[in-house]
Amino acid sequence: MDDQNDYVVWSLLQEKTFKYVDSVEVLNEAPSTFGEWFRQRKRWAIGAALWVKDYYGALIRSIVNHPQLLTASILLLFPSLPLLATSFLL
């Protein structure tokens, strides 16, 4: 998560643009054990925290200028939030 976000935020701050390419294929290998899965999630969480620390000011400025980004930002940082919220409704 953090590598892509770092590249996207850096690019947007530099006013770069992106192009969609539909012919790209990505290989994804899921962890096969709980320990591997946990280490991966821990690494991602640390990376995400460092990313937020590095871009905190830019994120706040973007949300102030574009308030609609707040919902997307919250879901990006906490992807299981909708599931958690619905569990309280059941």
Side-chain angles (χ1 to χ4, degrees):
M1 174 179 145
D2 55 288
D3 292 340
Q4 293 114 2
N5 289 339
D6 188 48
Y7 182 71
V8 169
V9 170
W10 177 86
S11 299
L12 292 174
L13 292 174
Q14 301 296 318
E15 299 185 11
K16 304 289 184 189
T17 59
F18 293 88
K19 180 179 180 183
Y20 177 78
V21 179
D22 61 355
S23 61
V24 174
E25 293 185 24
V26 177
L27 175 63
N28 184 16
E29 293 184 31
S32 58
T33 67
F34 178 77
E36 290 174 4
W37 175 86
F38 186 80
R39 280 188 294 280
Q40 178 189 56
R41 299 300 164 148
K42 181 180 174 183
R43 186 179 71 245
W44 287 357
I46 291 169
L50 292 173
W51 176 81
V52 168
K53 180 181 144 277
D54 289 344
Y55 290 107
Y56 182 77
L59 291 169
I60 295 300
R61 283 190 299 279
S62 295
I63 289 171
V64 167
N65 293 333
H66 307 283
Q68 67 275 19
L69 292 176
L70 184 59
T71 302
S73 298
I74 290 171
L75 291 176
L76 178 68
L77 293 172
F78 306 106
S80 61
L81 192 60
L83 182 60
L84 180 65
T86 57
S87 69
F88 286 112
L89 298 174
L90 299 177

